[in-house]
Amino acid sequence: KKALLIVAAVVCLAVLFGVAASFTIVVAMPYFEEMKDRNDGSDVSLEEETEGERVDSMEGNENPTMSETSGTNLEDIDVPEPIVIERELTLDDIEESYSLIRKAAKEYNNCIVVVSGMVEGVDWFDNPSRMEEAAFGTILAEDEERLYILTSYENVQNTEKFQITFTDDTVAEAKLRGKDTTTNLVVLSVAKRQLSDETLEKIVVANLGDSYSLMEGTFVMALGSPNGYLYSMDMGIISGQKREQAVLDGKLELFHTTMEYYRTGEGIVVDLDGRIVGILTHAYDSSNSSEINTMIGISRLKLIIEKMINKQPMAQFGIIASDIPEINQEKLGVENGIYVKEVENDSPAQEVGIRAGDIIVEVDGIRVSSIINFSNILAKYAPEISVPVKYVRSSSANTAEREVQVLLGTR
């Protein structure tokens, strides 16, 4: 009897919905006919509209209304209220959600490998010995001959030989492709000729996402060894706004998450589509965030990773700098530039006399507008290239621009 009552109720709701929908279509038909006449003969553009274009389209109309743009006053149309069917969330629903997450994590883990290295050491009796250390790695790219694997520099910095263990337990030798101590990243390469066709078919190359659009509340998963154990996983959300971290010749994005913090944890961070949006890090733990799981946003790492994969050495200038807010530019007597906070010892910048407090305003004829702009300019050059650099010494009464030739080093 209860089931029949439910069926009857659903039928009644369906009838009411049909009547309301029919009425809405009849009333709105003149509007759609008019719009059809307007659009005949014009192409449909699916290009994404930018924020600037949206602003431009609003100019000249201080308070546009729907009636002004469509020719029909929609206030006269009686739009039916949406039908909301409430259902109590059960434990089975929660279990199903976690099951889907576990399934997704298992699928995304196919791009994770084990990186092993032989490290020279001594035993308890001071005799020479060889120890094997294991860490996580991520298959990040491939070409016809090689696979490229990303891992942490600190895990392999003392390693002589590398071995990669794939998910089907196949083991292959790897070679160092490139390293970047500033971001603590290393790329290794594996020759595909070492692998069987069956293993190659199982290999999944990770997709790089975008961290610029991350915001508070975004769901993320950590893979690799986030709790210190290989092939472990964790999940959480982005818990705060991104934090800018100044590094040598650049700037990184840092994001705090609600995932459990482990001092030995490391890995990649992916979104619900399995795209890498960040890499776990402990390098920038501060006193306020020493127990907070932090990741580096992937967007500003892409160029660095690409150069390592392509075996392109990165040029070094040798400064840690910050952007200058417009309100402070006038006080400093400049219209653009970046403020030098620190100068690396024995760096190209130090060799030409640049010091903390100076303002870099131009590199090779290109005006410097931000630290990211400066980093992108620097990325165009190879080491051992000499470039003209203009700067202003803010501590001097003479605010005229000075020019020096900087012989770029190797990062």
Side-chain angles (χ1 to χ4, degrees), residues 136 138-141 150-151 180 183-187 206-214 220-221 238 242-244 251-255 257 267-271 274-281 294-309 372 376:
F136 96 101
T138 306
I139 305 173
L140 209 60
L150 184 73
T151 189
D180 182 57
T183 55
N184 190 37
L185 295 177
V186 163
V187 170
N207 292 320
L208 293 184
D210 178 13
S211 58
Y212 290 139
S213 58
L214 293 179
V220 290
M221 289 189 292
I238 303 297
K242 70 178 179 182
R243 178 165 65 91
E244 303 283 0
K251 185 167 61 174
L252 299 176
E253 297 174 306
L254 298 183
F255 296 88
T257 76
I268 58 173
V269 180
V270 303
D271 60 17
R275 297 171 299 190
I276 298 177
V277 294
I279 296 175
L280 294 180
T281 182
T294 304
M295 74 174 195
I296 303 175
I298 196 65
S299 292
R300 291 182 185 168
L301 296 177
K302 288 181 179 180
L303 182 59
I304 297 171
I305 294 171
E306 182 180 303
K307 282 185 171 290
M308 288 192 289
I309 289 175
I372 295 301
N376 290 336

Side-chain angles (χ1 to χ4, degrees), residues 14-35:
V15 171
L16 289 173
F17 179 77
V19 172
S22 299
F23 176 75
T24 302
I25 291 173
V26 170
V27 174
M29 186 60 71
Y31 164 75
F32 291 117
E33 290 293 338
E34 183 178 348
M35 293 303 296

Side-chain angles (χ1 to χ4, degrees), residues 231-283:
Y231 289 105
S232 57
M233 69 159 288
D234 201 353
M235 59 184 180
I237 62 171
I238 303 297
S239 59
Q241 293 181 346
K242 70 178 179 182
R243 178 165 65 91
E244 303 283 0
Q245 176 65 48
V247 295
L248 190 66
D249 296 334
K251 185 167 61 174
L252 299 176
E253 297 174 306
L254 298 183
F255 296 88
H256 293 322
T257 76
T258 59
M259 293 183 288
E260 191 72 21
Y261 176 87
Y262 292 90
R263 167 55 63 180
T264 58
E266 58 180 2
I268 58 173
V269 180
V270 303
D271 60 17
L272 284 175
D273 294 320
R275 297 171 299 190
I276 298 177
V277 294
I279 296 175
L280 294 180
T281 182
H282 302 290

Side-chain angles (χ1 to χ4, degrees), residues 160-171:
E160 295 180 346
K161 294 183 178 180
F162 307 96
Q163 287 186 331
I164 306 298
T165 304
F166 296 88
T167 53
D168 64 352
D169 294 328
T170 296
V171 179

